[in-house]
């Protein structure tokens, strides 16, 4: 489709040679970049160094700066550059193929003149066809070097991803003692006022459509129960019993499926917005911002989830409440530690669990839901979690948690139990009693039940008894059906009626607004949070500032010895340098913002579900946070690139160039945020982004000049933003520029000037007019 050589003097061999060169270029480059992955342990550092390596290869490939323009002190990079050898092989394969062998009036063939015009010469003569073979040999050699160095790095250097351990929090007994709540501490008994709430539910059913047969599947079948204030209620059952599904239905976390039944809070029907504000929900695998400290994370939740119009809420009471939470969950020894992540390290898995509980407790909820809070923890870590939950329950809050295979000590911490069997049916609901005595008494009242052995874990025995354990012994007996007609269920229904009958205006919990804070408070708090995250993310911000500075210095140094263009080659090299540098630092911003935005986007989904703030606050925060770093990166780039290249210092021109450089970085950064908002993960977003980047670069008017874009595709030239940036940057420099530029024989500029003999000169302004067919307005 591009009309490359394969006939009219060339042969089909040129086509296959083209494919071979492209394949070897891609393969050899991959082998070289593998060295960074094998030799460097930190992803951010590896990406930064590979980006530096890539920019060297692109700048000195012979495309960005023509080979005859590269100064002597950089020419060695050109001859050592894989991309330069591959590009040389490609252009020689095209223009020395026989298709361009027509003699010109100026002498030499068309192909030789084109190669000479773009600097592909040696000893003042165009490269011969043999250089395609040299390029292939060089690519094979680079592949061998890449594989060899990668193998050496893998065999001699060992990197391990840092993962938080599951060990308990305290390094020594002194810290553990310090974490235990001291009754003499003024914050120990401090608490913000809250309304106690009980949660009752009757005949809860939940149905979804099968993805295979398109038939309805009932996951929950008529479940009754209650969660009482000051008590800890466990939801248990085998995998697939529906315990997490039930909790999500009660907590209003299910957005699909058909829900039936009645849920009441203090005897009043459940109302979505009020219920979300009076409850907390701790996910099984929760995540927090790695850059924030434990105290900052909890304080942020308190800032946006405590009612700012409540006279009891002020800075002092909020501070004391946060202190109380830290001590209640034994987080005070690590309150100034950053959360961290799996790569950089940070809090242990158990500490993260307690932090997630603290984040929800900061909302001063009446009810807290927890999804498997002890899963994946060792015995000591689990006991710390349960001790914290017991402290919360003792404050009068209701706790409802799903538990999977708990130890006997953990199971005995709960006050009541809702036991489900596979299929979403209730086997038991009621108080556990001391050491689960009431549960044991109920199950042993049936003859089919095998008696519990002395010292046996009641949780394990219970699941085995109903056929949900690893060894099912009573599959024939229908415990669910028996419970439905049992005296135990009648007691439960009577208790529910009693709790609901206590409904009154005094215990009705409602709120005047959807959010606990005003839009202004939300915006300020979220902006402060995001700015803190940015400031503590050197891998993101410092890396892109250094990258922009480095690119500016490298490209600028090429022109430092000859800062005034005199020929078309020098003008073309400057234009391509503007294009490459602008696209590179813009796309670098696009790619690096994806991971940062993905983390905070996922946090926003969780915060939004908790009614902390809306999307306007997070959008404003990210917009504001980017401004100073983009301004700094743009300024550092210009210091090296603009003045070393010899661009105009006339009044206003440096400012215009700086403005559009910054606008270009903002554009790519905000496009990255937009794309990340549309796709599930950063890998998919990056894939779509590569298409966007490719289209923008292709139709910006540099790779394909506007006058040569077909009518079918000209819309893309006007649609994609790249052309507006290029036009602004180029015309800001060459407007009214009367620098003499020597025209090359047979070029568009030569024809534009109407030249008949050498030397023939025009101005830099005229060159831009001719080179871009009048599309770039000066």
């Amino acid at each position: 489709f591009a009309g490359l050589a394969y006939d009219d003097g060339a042969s089909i061999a040129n086509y296959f040679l083209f494919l071979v060169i492209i394949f070897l270029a891609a393969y050899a480059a991959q082998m070289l970049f593998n060295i960074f992955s094998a030799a460097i342990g930190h992803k951010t550092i590896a990406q930064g160094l590979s980006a530096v390596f890539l920019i060297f290869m692109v700048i000195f490939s012979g495309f960005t700066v023509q080979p005859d323009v590269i100064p002597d002190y950089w020419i060695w990079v050109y001859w050592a550059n894989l991309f330069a050898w591959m590009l040389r092989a490609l252009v020689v394969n095209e223009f020395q193929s026989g298709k361009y062998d027509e003699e010109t009036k100026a002498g030499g063939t068309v192909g030789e003149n084109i190669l000479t015009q773009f600097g592909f010469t040696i000893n003042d003569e165009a490269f011969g066809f043999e250089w395609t073979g040299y390029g292939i040999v060089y690519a094979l050699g680079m592949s061998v070097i890449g594989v060899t160095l990668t193998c050496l790095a893998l065999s001699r250097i060992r990197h391990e991803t840092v993962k938080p351990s599951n060990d308990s929090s305290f390094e020594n007994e002194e810290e553990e003692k310090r974490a235990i709540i001291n009754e003499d501490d003024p914050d120990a008994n401090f608490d913000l006022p809250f309304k106690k709430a009980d949660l009752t539910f009757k005949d809860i059913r939940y149905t979804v459509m099968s993805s295979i047969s398109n038939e309805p599947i009932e996951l929950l079948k008529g479940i009754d129960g209650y969660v009482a204030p000051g008590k800890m209620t466990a939801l248990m059952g085998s995998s697939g019993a529906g315990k997490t599904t039930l909790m999500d239905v009660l907590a209003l976390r299910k957005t699909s499926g058909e829900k039936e039944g009645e849920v009441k809070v203090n005897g009043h029907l459940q109302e979505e917005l009020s219920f979300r504000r009076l409850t907390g929900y701790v996910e099984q695998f929760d995540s927090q911002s790695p850059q924030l400290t434990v105290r900052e994370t909890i304080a942020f939740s308190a800032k946006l989830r405590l009612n700012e119009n409540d006279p009891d809420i002020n800075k002092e009471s909020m501070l004391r409440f946060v202190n109380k939470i830290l001590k209640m969950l034994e987080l005070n020894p690590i309150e100034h530690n950053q959360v961290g992540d799996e790569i950089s390290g940070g809090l242990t898995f158990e500490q993260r669990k307690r932090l997630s509980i603290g984040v929800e407790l900061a909302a001063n909820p009446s009810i807290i839901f927890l999804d498997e809070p002890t899963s994946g923890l060792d015995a000591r870590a689990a006991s710390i979690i349960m001790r914290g939950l017991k402290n919360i329950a003792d404050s009068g809050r209701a706790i409802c948690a799903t538990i999977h295979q708990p130890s006997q000590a953990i199971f005995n911490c709960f006050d009541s139990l809702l036991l489900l069997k596979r299929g979403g049916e209730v086997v038991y609901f009621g108080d556990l009693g001391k050491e689960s005595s009431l549960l044991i008494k109920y199950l042993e009242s049936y003859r089919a039940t095998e008696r519990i052995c002395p010292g046996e874990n009641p949780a394990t025995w219970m699941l085995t008894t109903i056929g949900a354990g690893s060894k099912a012994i009573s599959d024939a007996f229908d415990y669910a059906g028996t419970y439905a007609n049992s005296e135990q269920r009648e007691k439960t229904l009577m208790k529910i009626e009693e709790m609901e009958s206590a409904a009154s205006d005094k215990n009705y919990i409602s709120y005047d607004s959807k959010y606990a804070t005003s839009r202004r408070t939300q915006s300020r708090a979220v902006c402060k949070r995001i700015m803190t995250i940015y400031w503590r993310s050197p891998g993101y911000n410092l890396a892109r500032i250094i990258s922009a500075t480095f690119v500016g210095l490298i490209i600028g140094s090429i022109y430092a010895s000859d800062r005034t263009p005199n020929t078309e080659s020098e003008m073309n090299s400057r234009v391509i340098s503007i294009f490459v540098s602008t696209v590179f630092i813009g796309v670098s911003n696009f790619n690096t913002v994806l991971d940062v935005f993905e983390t905070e986007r996922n946090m926003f989904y969780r915060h939004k579900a908790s009614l902390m703030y809306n999307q306007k606050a997070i959008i404003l925060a990210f917009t504001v946070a980017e401004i100073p770093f983009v301004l700094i990166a743009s300024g550092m780039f210009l210091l090296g690139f603009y003045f070393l290249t010899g661009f105009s210092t006339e009044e206003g021109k440096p400012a215009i160039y700086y403005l559009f450089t910054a606008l270009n970085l903002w554009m790519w950064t905000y496009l990255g945020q937009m794309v990340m908002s549309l796709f599930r993960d950063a890998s998919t977003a990056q894939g779509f982004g590569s298409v966007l980047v490719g289209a923008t670069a292709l139709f910006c008017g540099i790779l394909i000049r506007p006058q040569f874009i077909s009518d079918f595709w000209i819309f893309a030239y006007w649609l994609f933003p790249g052309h507006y940036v290029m036009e602004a940057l180029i015309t800001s420099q060459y407007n009214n520029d009367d620098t003499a530029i020597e025209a090359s024989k047979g070029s568009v500029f030569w024809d534009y000037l109407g030249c008949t003999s050498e030397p023939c000169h025009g101005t830099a302004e005229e060159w831009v007019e001719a080179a871009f067919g009048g599309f770039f307005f000066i």
Side-chain angles (χ1 to χ4, degrees):
F1 292 109
L4 297 179
Y6 68 93
D7 58 4
D8 295 336
S11 69
I12 195 66
N14 293 103
Y15 168 72
F16 287 108
L17 188 56
F18 171 84
L19 294 181
V20 169
I21 294 170
I22 292 295
F23 170 77
L24 287 176
Y27 182 78
Q30 179 65 58
M31 296 304 102
L32 291 176
F33 281 106
N34 281 348
I35 299 172
F36 294 98
S37 299
I40 301 171
H42 198 284
K43 179 181 178 181
T44 303
I45 297 175
Q47 286 179 329
L49 291 178
S50 61
V52 171
F53 183 62
L54 178 63
I55 194 64
F56 261 101
M57 294 177 74
V58 172
I59 291 173
F60 297 105
S61 64
F63 169 75
T64 305
V65 183
Q66 291 186 192
D68 56 342
V69 178
I70 298 175
D72 293 340
Y73 49 83
W74 280 121
I75 198 65
W76 63 272
V77 181
Y78 170 72
W79 287 107
N81 189 352
L82 171 67
F83 284 10
W85 285 86
M86 295 295 94
L87 179 62
R88 187 185 310 120
L90 288 171
V91 296
V92 169
N93 179 58
E94 175 67 20
F95 295 109
Q96 296 285 29
S97 62
K99 182 178 181 179
Y100 304 89
D101 284 351
E102 181 182 350
E103 293 289 332
T104 64
K105 293 180 181 179
T109 64
V110 173
E112 289 173 343
N113 285 344
I114 292 174
L115 291 173
T116 301
Q117 180 182 343
F118 288 95
F120 289 95
T121 60
I122 185 169
N123 298 325
D124 295 327
E125 294 185 4
F127 285 111
F129 193 80
E130 66 274 10
W131 284 89
T132 58
Y134 299 158
I136 291 174
V137 172
Y138 191 84
L140 292 173
M142 286 293 101
S143 300
V144 172
I145 291 174
V147 171
T148 302
L149 292 179
T150 301
C151 290
L152 285 174
L154 290 173
S155 61
R156 300 193 178 189
I157 304 174
R158 182 179 178 85
H159 300 289
E160 292 185 4
T161 301
V162 178
K163 292 186 177 180
S165 69
N166 286 338
D167 295 338
S168 58
S169 317
F170 309 108
E171 295 182 359
N172 52 55
E173 293 182 3
E174 201 60 39
E175 279 194 359
E176 185 168 6
K177 290 177 182 178
R178 186 157 56 92
I180 302 298
I181 296 178
N182 183 358
E183 296 297 332
D184 297 328
D185 192 313
D187 293 332
N189 297 315
F190 176 81
D191 205 353
L192 292 174
F194 70 96
K195 285 188 177 181
K196 294 184 179 181
D198 54 56
L199 181 73
T200 59
F201 46 95
K202 292 190 295 186
D203 197 27
I204 298 298
R205 299 178 183 273
Y206 180 65
T207 305
V208 297
M209 298 301 295
S210 171
S211 59
I212 301 175
S213 61
N214 202 30
E215 295 180 355
I217 300 176
E218 193 173 26
L219 300 180
L220 301 176
K221 301 173 181 176
I223 298 176
D224 311 306
Y226 55 86
V227 179
K231 302 292 184 180
M232 295 174 59
T233 302
L235 304 182
M236 291 188 63
S238 63
S239 298
K243 52 185 182 295
T244 300
T245 301
L246 173 62
M247 190 172 73
D248 287 344
V249 169
L250 296 177
L252 297 177
R253 296 282 170 153
K254 287 294 184 185
T255 57
S256 60
E258 183 178 347
K259 291 166 277 191
E260 299 178 36
E262 186 178 76
V263 181
K264 292 185 177 182
V265 179
N266 286 345
H268 303 276
L269 285 175
Q270 184 185 50
E271 191 275 318
E272 182 175 359
L273 295 182
S274 295
F275 189 79
R276 286 183 181 275
R277 285 191 57 181
L278 69 87
T279 59
Y281 187 98
V282 181
E283 299 177 5
Q284 181 179 358
F285 299 106
D286 204 358
S287 61
Q288 307 296 337
S289 297
Q291 298 85 355
L292 299 182
T293 65
V294 171
R295 173 176 284 276
E296 288 170 341
T297 302
I298 295 177
F300 176 75
S301 180
K303 177 72 174 177
L304 293 182
R305 297 178 73 176
L306 295 177
N307 190 351
E308 65 179 356
N309 296 320
D310 189 333
D312 294 316
I313 305 298
N314 52 54
K315 287 186 177 180
E316 182 183 355
S317 63
M318 194 179 298
L319 176 62
R320 294 187 66 187
F321 187 56
V322 171
N323 290 339
K324 170 69 176 292
I325 293 171
L326 290 169
K327 293 171 183 177
M328 182 183 292
L329 295 173
E330 304 176 29
L331 289 169
N332 46 312
I334 57 169
E335 62 179 282
H336 299 300
N337 292 10
Q338 289 188 15
V339 175
D341 53 33
E342 290 189 354
I343 295 176
S344 61
L347 303 186
T348 67
F349 183 61
E350 174 268 323
Q351 289 169 340
R352 292 172 192 271
K353 288 268 191 180
R354 282 188 285 142
L355 175 59
S356 296
I357 297 171
V359 166
E360 295 305 309
L361 186 57
N364 198 23
S366 301
I367 305 171
I368 297 181
F369 296 97
L370 304 100
D371 187 14
E372 300 193 18
T374 60
S375 294
L377 303 179
D378 59 29
R380 188 181 182 192
S383 69
I384 294 174
I385 292 288
M386 295 308 299
R387 194 160 63 214
L389 293 179
K390 192 65 177 175
N391 290 335
I392 295 172
D394 289 342
S395 68
R397 294 171 174 86
I399 291 180
C400 178
T402 61
I403 297 292
H404 182 67
Q405 295 180 341
S407 66
Q408 185 170 349
I410 291 175
F411 187 65
N412 287 336
C413 289
F414 286 92
D415 302 292
S416 55
L417 169 71
L418 174 57
L419 179 61
L420 302 174
K421 65 171 289 187
R422 184 180 293 274
E425 297 179 85
V426 181
V427 172
Y428 175 82
F429 179 81
D431 291 339
L432 284 170
K434 186 178 180 180
E435 296 184 351
S436 307
S437 58
L438 296 179
L439 169 67
I440 295 171
K441 180 180 178 181
Y442 170 78
L443 291 178
E444 288 187 343
S445 66
Y446 301 111
R447 293 183 178 180
T449 303
E450 183 175 313
R451 298 300 182 262
I452 188 172
C453 298
E456 186 176 0
N457 184 353
T460 304
W461 169 78
M462 159 191 84
L463 292 174
T464 303
T465 297
I466 67 170
S470 58
K471 298 179 180 179
I473 60 175
S474 301
D475 289 342
F477 189 76
D478 184 8
Y479 283 93
T482 305
Y483 172 80
N485 300 302
S486 68
E487 181 181 345
Q488 183 67 27
R489 183 168 183 265
E490 288 298 323
K491 289 181 180 179
T492 298
L493 294 176
M494 289 176 62
K495 182 64 176 178
I496 292 174
E497 291 296 330
E498 178 187 339
M499 296 170 74
E500 291 181 351
S501 65
S504 65
D505 292 339
K506 291 184 178 180
N507 64 10
Y508 178 64
I509 303 177
S510 65
Y511 301 91
D512 297 331
S513 60
K514 179 178 180 180
Y515 298 100
T517 56
S518 65
R519 186 173 298 177
R520 180 182 179 184
T521 301
Q522 293 174 25
S523 298
R524 292 178 63 180
V526 177
C527 277
K528 180 181 178 181
R529 176 175 175 272
I530 296 298
M531 287 298 293
T532 302
I533 290 172
Y534 267 49
W535 183 253
R536 295 175 184 171
S537 303
Y540 172 50
N541 287 304
L542 188 60
R544 59 177 173 166
I545 291 173
I546 293 175
S547 176
T549 305
F550 183 80
V551 171
L553 287 172
I554 292 300
I555 298 180
S557 69
I558 296 172
Y559 303 103
S561 60
D562 188 9
R563 303 173 67 205
T564 303
N566 299 305
T567 65
E568 282 201 71
S569 293
E570 293 175 353
M571 278 296 295
N572 193 61
S573 291
R574 279 165 169 77
V575 168
I576 297 296
S577 294
I578 291 173
F579 164 73
V580 170
S581 61
T582 303
V583 170
F584 181 85
I585 61 176
V587 173
S588 177
N589 272 32
F590 178 94
N591 288 330
T592 53
V593 79
L594 295 179
D595 288 331
V596 175
F597 194 80
E598 181 185 19
T599 300
E600 293 309 311
R601 180 203 64 180
N602 295 340
M603 287 298 304
F604 164 69
Y605 292 153
R606 187 180 158 284
H607 292 164
K608 183 182 178 182
S610 300
L611 298 182
M612 292 177 68
Y613 54 87
N614 60 19
Q615 64 272 18
K616 293 180 181 178
I618 191 72
I619 291 171
L620 176 63
F622 269 106
T623 301
V624 171
E626 287 289 348
I627 291 176
F629 295 101
V630 167
L631 291 176
I632 293 171
S634 301
M636 296 302 294
F637 168 74
L638 254 67
L639 285 175
F641 176 74
Y642 191 91
F643 298 105
L644 285 177
T645 304
F647 283 153
S648 175
T649 56
E650 292 181 18
E651 183 179 356
K653 286 192 174 183
I656 293 173
Y657 201 97
Y658 176 64
L659 172 64
F660 278 93
T661 299
L663 289 174
N664 175 65
L665 291 187
W666 276 320
M667 175 188 74
W668 283 111
T669 301
Y670 297 144
L671 280 175
Q673 294 177 5
M674 179 197 73
V675 171
M676 193 65 251
S677 300
L678 296 174
F679 292 94
R680 181 182 181 87
D681 53 54
S683 298
T684 307
Q686 196 165 33
F688 177 81
S690 64
V691 176
L692 180 63
V693 170
T696 302
L698 187 62
F699 293 108
C700 71
I702 304 298
L703 298 179
I704 304 175
R705 299 296 161 89
Q707 64 270 33
F708 300 125
I709 298 176
S710 66
D711 293 339
F712 179 81
W713 284 109
I714 195 64
F715 79 91
Y717 171 75
W718 298 106
L719 175 64
F720 290 104
H723 119 251
Y724 299 99
V725 175
M726 290 297 109
E727 183 176 356
L729 294 176
I730 292 171
T731 57
S732 71
Q733 295 309 303
Y734 299 113
N735 179 41
N736 296 325
D737 188 341
D738 57 0
T739 302
I741 303 298
E742 182 179 349
S744 299
K745 277 187 178 181
S747 69
V748 173
F749 188 40
W750 176 279
D751 295 336
Y752 175 85
L753 296 175
C755 299
T756 57
S757 61
E758 294 184 291
C760 182
H761 292 85
T763 66
E765 182 180 31
E766 290 174 328
W767 184 88
V768 173
E769 178 73 17
F772 296 98
F775 278 77
F776 279 20
F777 301 105
I778 296 183

